[in-house]
Amino acid sequence: MNATSDRRRIGWMGWTLITLALIAAALFGAWRYAMATNAVALLDWADRTMGGTAGVAVAESGVAYGPLPAQRLEVIVPNTPGPHPVVVFIHGGGWHSGIPGDYHFVGRNLARAGYVVVLPGYRLGPDGRYPAMLEDSAAALRWTLDNAARHGGDPGKVFLMGHSAGAYNAVMLGLELQTLTGICSEQGRQGVPEGFVKGVIGLSGPYDFAPFTTDSARAAFGHVPDPARTQPVNFARADAPPMLLLTGDEDVTVKPRNSIALAKALTAAGTPTQAVVLKGVDHSGTVMKLTHPFRRDARVMDAVLAFLAAHGAPSAPVQASRP
């Protein structure tokens, strides 16, 4: 009788493990499909389903920071009193796709760590050609400067972060805010003061990619007479904000040499910087690991939180159980 019970128990455990493995495989397949089709909403759904929404709130959704349809943003906040440091996360998508609402998973997971998170959209495609994406990102920063406090954010502790094309926007703004008037005019800079950005986090970003060899790069930058003016690597300076440049050694979309080249240029200019190249991680992996289903590999989130804490934004984790 006991032997029979043991066999049944073992059999039940085996089926349970198989079921869990199938669920994990389905989630991973959904993620791969999401990235291949730019349907990042599937990833957000998986994060929300497995991680819940306890401890955080959507303070703003679709709020305008400018007059154009793409100039909308989301704000996700901790459920604890501020002031909290602020992270402005700019989404990727090759400067031709993506919406901030699909990246609530970034907001939820950073908000749980004690940060107010702003997720701005920006003009894409023909309307978003260089320097429009920088002008919009600067305008979103201006909105953050003016509105962070009413959402419990500390306007004196604002950090830029982005993935892929969004990492380009974030890094270029961090490097160029001082001279943005030379590219975008004073209106393009939006009156954002130098020193407002306390640090920049780039995930799998393109920083040294001229001449332009991809359709997305040619569409966004091919009209510029001097391509060197579009490259972050050419704007390294001694007084640049500190930067965390994360990439994966298996990234064939934006090769790790981009992060390595920018880190070397910053170091040579007087801002010691080292690219962090994660073993076994591809282009999408640096943002994928910010989601609940894939947080077991904590290398990205740990590096992000350590960087923020090291540069004046200690986190205050939200303690909240899942509803």
Side-chain angles (χ1 to χ4, degrees):
M1 193 72 172
N2 289 336
T4 300
S5 298
D6 288 343
R7 283 195 297 270
R8 287 176 178 172
R9 188 180 302 109
I10 292 170
W12 178 83
M13 290 174 63
W15 280 111
T16 300
L17 291 173
I18 291 172
T19 301
L20 290 173
L22 289 173
I23 292 172
L27 285 171
F28 187 76
W31 160 250
R32 290 296 185 188
Y33 173 80
M35 295 309 294
T37 60
N38 288 317
V40 185
L42 285 176
L43 181 64
D44 185 57
W45 172 84
D47 179 82
R48 186 172 61 252
T49 300
M50 296 187 69
T53 60
V56 303
V58 179
E60 299 273 12
S61 182
V63 66
Y65 68 82
L68 301 176
Q71 294 170 332
R72 300 291 184 272
L73 54 76
E74 314 281 308
V75 182
I76 299 180
V77 301
N79 64 357
T80 53
H84 300 286
V86 181
V87 175
V88 179
F89 179 88
I90 306 174
H91 69 79
W95 304 288
H96 59 73
S97 62
I99 58 173
D102 287 348
Y103 288 80
H104 277 207
F105 64 91
V106 175
R108 282 192 296 271
N109 288 298
L110 287 177
R112 287 195 185 99
Y115 296 89
V116 168
V117 183
V118 179
L119 304 169
Y122 52 97
R123 282 171 286 174
L124 301 170
D127 294 335
R129 297 193 309 165
Y130 176 92
M133 75 280 277
L134 298 181
E135 293 175 335
D136 287 0
S137 298
L141 273 180
R142 178 74 237 186
W143 185 95
T144 302
L145 173 62
D146 294 338
N147 294 277
R150 68 185 180 88
H151 290 302
D154 183 349
K157 294 181 179 179
V158 175
F159 294 78
L160 272 170
M161 180 177 175
H163 175 250
S164 193
Y168 168 88
N169 292 14
V171 165
M172 194 66 161
L173 269 189
L175 291 172
E176 276 239 300
L177 203 53
Q178 183 176 14
T179 57
L180 198 57
T181 52
I183 290 176
C184 302
S185 79
E186 180 60 35
Q187 183 179 7
R189 179 175 168 172
Q190 298 290 327
V192 178
E194 180 66 14
F196 176 58
V197 175
K198 303 307 181 195
V200 181
I201 300 169
L203 306 179
S204 305
Y207 316 121
D208 183 21
F209 57 100
F212 308 124
T213 59
T214 66
D215 290 341
S216 58
R218 283 191 290 265
F221 302 97
H223 63 288
V224 180
D226 181 8
R229 292 288 298 168
T230 70
Q231 301 297 286
V233 72
N234 295 325
F235 291 91
R237 53 190 175 89
D239 58 346
M243 295 198 180
L244 172 64
L245 305 175
L246 277 167
T247 185
D249 67 349
E250 296 184 2
D251 191 340
V252 296
T253 303
V254 178
K255 293 180 174 58
R257 64 170 181 78
N258 282 267
S259 296
I260 294 169
L262 179 57
K264 287 182 177 178
L266 285 166
T267 300
T271 304
T273 307
Q274 183 175 2
V276 178
V277 182
L278 301 175
K279 185 176 178 58
V281 176
D282 61 11
H283 185 66
S284 59
T286 51
V287 72
M288 175 178 73
K289 295 181 189 306
L290 297 176
T291 68
H292 188 88
F294 300 99
R295 281 283 300 279
R296 177 168 292 186
D297 184 346
R299 287 178 292 171
V300 174
M301 183 61 85
D302 286 351
V304 167
L305 295 181
F307 174 84
L308 292 171
H311 295 288
S315 59
V318 174
Q319 301 296 324
S321 60
R322 187 180 171 186

